[in-house]
Amino acid sequence: MSGALAIEVAGEEVLLLPQKALYWPRERLLVVADIHFGKAAAFRSLGVPVPHGTTAENLAALDALVERHGARGIVFLGDFLHARAAHAPATQRALLAWRERHAGLSLLLVRGNHDRHAGDPAAQLRIALVDEPHLHGPFAFSHHPELAADGYVLAGHVHPTFLLASRFDALRLPCFLVGPRRMILPSFGAFTGGHPVTPEPGERVFVSSGEAIHSVR
Amino acid sequence: MTTLAALDAWFAQRNWTVFSFQRAVWKAAREGQSGLLHANTGAGKTYAVWFAALLRGGERKPSGLRVLWLTPMRALAADTQRSLEQSAAALAPAWSIGARTGDTGSAERARQSRSLPNCLITTPESLSLLLSHAATREQSRHLDMVIVDEWHELMGSKRGVQVQLALARLRRWRPGLVVWGLSATMGNLRLAQDVLLGEGQGTLVEGDLSKQIVVDTLIPANVTRFPWGGHLGIEMLEPVIREIDQHASTLVFTNTRSQCELWYQNIIDARPDWAGLVALHHGSLDREVREWVEMGLKQGELKAVICTASLDLGVDFLPVERVLQVGSAKGIARLLQRAGRSGHAPGRVSRVTLVPTNSLELLEAAGARQAVASRRIEARQVPNKPFDVLVQHLVTVALGGGFRSEDLLDEVRSAWSYRLLTDEEWQWALDFVARGGQSLTVYPEYRRVLPDEEGVYRVPDAAIGRRHRMGIGTIVSDASIQVKYMSGGRIGSVEESFVARLKPGDRFLFGGRFLEFVRVHEMTAFVKRATRSSGAVTRWQGAKMPLSSELAHAALDQLQLAAQGVFEGPEMESLRPLVEIQQRWSALPTSDTLVVESMKSREGYHLFVYPFAGRSVHMGLASLFSYRIGRTQPITFSIAINDYGFELLAPEAVDWARVFAGATGAEVDLFDTATLLEDVLGSLNATQLSQQRFREVARIAGLVFSGYPGQPKSTRQLQASSSLFFEVFRKHDAANLLLTQAQREVLEQELELTRLRDTLAELHERKVAYREVRRATPFGFALMVERFREKVTTERLSDRVARMVRELEKAAAA
């Protein structure tokens, strides 16, 4: 049981993964939004102590998904690096070592707002860099969801979460917000928060419990 | 220039006599002694310590900062300044007196940073801020005396710990520093003295304690035998209005802001001619509104103010003739404090009148009077080495000139809360600010506090310093949202969690008006006046305080007397029919008997237990019981609690007779204390509770930055919520002492583990009276209504309850 949920958007079957990513089987592409590498390091350089381990956690999560689905490439929907301080040597070393383990993987980054401040990732990482929207098949890979594009928009930026509430209990969970013309992915990063969203009419909400995807609206 | 002779003359001119406690303080302070002055109310205590400071100044012209006056609320600073200036004008005209709080303007601040006044009135947060500036040490070289006002209010909180640390620092700079605290009555004055002055240090001066305090009750015309929370509210409106009418000025204390709003609304509806004469005061209202009300009260322009704890403190809210307390006061100290709002001047009688909102509160009223008469007053707990405050202090001191580890450790340990701080814990805190956490990891990019070549820890980065100063302060309020009219006017602020529950078009009562919610935009809730006058009103409830253990015991003592047929005073006399039906149908809970009732109804199988230990302990007990029963029999309970007991309701039968078989509590396995901690952690969602606690811890420790003023969002790079930190720490740094602290605070403060343990120990001693009852008893009925309240709307609730009361009354008459 992978806990993933297959849905159809823009005539394509995609898998919503409980690990807060999307998989496009036909192209064997893993799609990941808002990973924010180096965010912990950025906090530390500003004098806020964050324990180490979040970069390794992110990379291990990518490892597991690539292996499980046999992905041949990853598309990052923006905010790959959190800030300039993300170029800290320790973070860069970890990223390079990971890249060497996956030398054959094609990597594509659609630049987001944080990437503009942080600067492009190092050339040795061999990541193809594009501006939004990046058209591929029926999809327009973007960072900002509000973008008008000729295609079904897959975007991040919002870090959407949804409040599941009953009379006794309430849980805030990361979610996919799936509309007729665009989908917003949850943030993938281990050290990223979320913002509650209210779906508009015609939008469906899929929450991730960490183990499975549930359709809630 | 001030001498004893000048003081005597000053008093004589006003035809006042010097109290002996005032002389005692003057004498001790002149000899260089520190102390704690225990005085209830009145201006007498201000003159005691303030004139002591002037006497110590002697006949020289003062230079630089000599006296620091700490006050818990910035609203009090202006009052204090006025009061000190008035007396100084005649006695010590050369003294300059100033205030520095969060409200102080930037021009005044700039002037003060060049030279501080001779007497500075400030708050704990602003004092910490001063310590973060390197120039403060030089500016304090003439500091002679520190006065800590309302110490009883501060000592139980993290702000009190902040005061302890600041005093430790000032004493290090000025070894002969004289410190005086002012405290109202509390259960552990000796401890208050030790915490402020150091173990066994200083002297305790007892003030004007002969003050007579009267506690009485507005007895309702009909005392129902089947009570439920709030049902007497409206019935008591008439008597309350009569009291307001008969007196020049009245304070009506309520327990929650929503109760405050409701009473104000009902009073104005009944007496429209009082519009403008009766006002509303609670902590969520805009500061200008509150100041207007306070001023009106002082100038005798208001006939009555309906208020919450927001008016508990204050130096000279002069003539209030009458004080009413609506609902339970929850504690004796609070009741005394509120009583003191009337007859404020020395020698006058203070009186507080209780207005019960349900019949059982008559029991508390009777108990409270007894406890006040015998001065059985709650003790205050002092936080034990909170790491968040320590971490904040380390950065503050590093900013304010830097520190060496071993010197500062000595100094910190001289603060009572950290007297048992271990070397390991110190090292952890130091590593946390200097290296960002785990001592074995090196984070080359981490910078907050760094040792220089000589081993002096400093803050190397000006931006970090600026952010730290913004974050100083230990009062953490729930994120609040401004409430504004669409047309512009500000009304006040409410909790974000309340606004989150509102839908556009929902109506609520706030600031004495019915408002309709329109939308939220950038941390502001926009509203307009509600046009519809009917329809549901969203209730806006504050946290409910538990009954103090002193008051609960006092109530049980009254029941003990009643069990022996002794009904003392009008409260117990009017409660007699209720007590008798409880005895007839079941048994009376008393200080030596625990009553347990089981009952079957259409709803299912009920269990009622009456330990009289306050709502938070009952929540803990109810969860503990259902967890322990659930281990032997898979079952789900719904739980209801109040301050007197709790109810467990199950869809199927439990053999309660067997569970409670035993002559005393010690023979009932359910009351076992050996595995208490594990079971409490297992029974409640302790993780989620800790995460909520961690919000406060993370902010004090400087992890979460709430932004510069006028800039609602922090710098984008630094956005992260405390829950995110909580997750990351739990996953990657589980030994972090801030996490441990959050868990400890949950157990001690929210679940009141110590009190839970004490309660179980007490139950071991009590006889167990297990009764199977056919219908709800008076005590059980109150709990059942508590449970419905969660489920149904107010209107339908009163219909349903009225029907049940009719049925029960019929049975009682038979």
Side-chain angles (χ1 to χ4, degrees), chain B residues 18-242:
Chain B
V18 180
F19 289 110
S20 57
F21 76 86
Q22 290 170 326
R23 257 187 226 292
V25 173
W26 298 344
K27 178 165 182 292
R30 279 204 341 161
E31 288 163 1
Q33 284 190 62
S34 294
L36 183 69
L37 171 59
H38 169 209
N40 277 324
T41 45
K45 60 180 182 179
T46 308
Y47 295 141
V49 287
W50 172 230
F51 291 169
L54 292 181
L55 279 174
R56 284 185 57 80
E59 304 194 42
R60 281 156 302 168
K61 189 174 153 29
S63 63
L65 178 67
R66 286 194 59 88
V67 177
L68 258 178
W69 184 292
L70 284 178
T71 170
M73 280 163 70
R74 38 184 201 196
L76 293 183
D79 272 356
T80 306
Q81 185 175 358
R82 241 191 325 274
S83 146
L84 300 190
E85 272 168 353
Q86 272 167 12
S87 48
L91 283 164
W95 280 64
S96 58
I97 298 164
R100 188 189 183 102
T101 67
D103 294 340
T104 309
S106 53
E108 175 67 14
R109 257 165 213 277
R111 219 165 51 79
Q112 288 175 356
S113 64
R114 287 191 298 276
S115 95
L116 289 169
N118 304 129
C119 171
L120 181 69
I121 301 152
T122 190
T123 57
E125 291 79 12
S126 291
L127 176 57
S128 267
L129 257 173
L130 276 176
L131 295 184
S132 77
H133 293 280
T136 303
R137 179 169 193 168
E138 173 59 22
Q139 288 182 326
S140 318
R141 68 182 189 281
H142 297 295
L143 183 66
D144 175 63
M145 185 161 168
V146 179
I147 293 158
V148 186
D149 204 353
E150 316 256 12
W151 175 236
H152 58 282
E153 204 50 49
L154 281 170
M155 83 176 239
S157 68
K158 289 183 184 171
R159 302 175 75 210
V161 178
Q162 203 174 23
V163 172
Q164 292 179 40
L165 287 170
L167 283 177
R169 187 117 202 95
L170 294 174
R171 284 191 187 107
R172 173 66 53 116
W173 293 347
R174 303 279 303 149
L177 190 69
V178 174
V179 177
W180 278 82
L182 299 174
S183 169
T185 302
M186 60 168 122
N188 47 353
L189 273 172
R190 283 288 164 196
L191 179 67
Q193 186 186 339
D194 282 352
V195 174
L196 185 68
L197 307 173
E199 214 123 12
Q201 301 292 308
T203 162
L204 179 70
V205 175
E206 297 279 357
D208 160 39
L209 295 175
S210 55
K211 187 170 203 65
Q212 204 189 337
I213 294 172
V214 175
V215 179
D216 55 11
T217 310
L218 288 184
I219 306 281
N222 300 306
V223 176
T224 52
R225 290 189 281 191
F226 299 99
W228 54 286
H231 76 292
L232 273 177
I234 305 307
E235 207 176 305
M236 295 307 286
L237 185 63
E238 264 317 303
V240 166
I241 286 177
R242 246 192 330 270

Side-chain angles (χ1 to χ4, degrees), chain A residues 44-47 52 57, chain B residues 443 445 447-448 467 731-732:
Chain A
R44 288 194 284 265
S45 72
L46 290 167
H52 98 143
E57 191 185 339
Chain B
Y443 295 118
E445 71 276 13
R447 295 185 308 157
R448 191 179 187 189
R467 273 203 303 279
K731 222 184 263 179
H732 300 290

Side-chain angles (χ1 to χ4, degrees), chain B residues 530-552:
Chain B
T531 42
R532 290 175 301 131
S533 55
S534 61
V537 175
T538 310
R539 268 200 293 172
W540 166 53
Q541 215 122 31
K544 283 189 179 155
M545 270 189 42
L547 193 67
S548 81
S549 135
E550 282 69 15
L551 192 46

Side-chain angles (χ1 to χ4, degrees), chain B residues 546-549 552 556 589 594-595 608-626 639-648 683-684 750-753 755-757 759-760 762-763 766 779 783 786:
Chain B
L547 193 67
S548 81
S549 135
L556 271 182
L594 171 70
V595 175
F608 300 101
V609 186
Y610 311 111
F612 275 71
R615 47 193 319 128
S616 49
V617 168
H618 290 155
M619 190 66 219
L621 278 178
S623 316
L624 184 71
F625 280 20
S626 44
I639 293 174
I641 53 164
N642 63 20
D643 276 322
Y644 314 116
F646 61 90
E647 178 201 18
L648 295 180
S683 68
L684 287 152
E750 272 167 60
L751 304 178
E752 296 201 63
L753 192 69
R755 204 176 152 190
L756 187 60
R757 198 183 291 279
T759 303
L760 283 171
E762 259 177 56
L763 295 185
R766 287 190 207 165
F779 282 105
L783 278 164
E786 211 50 57

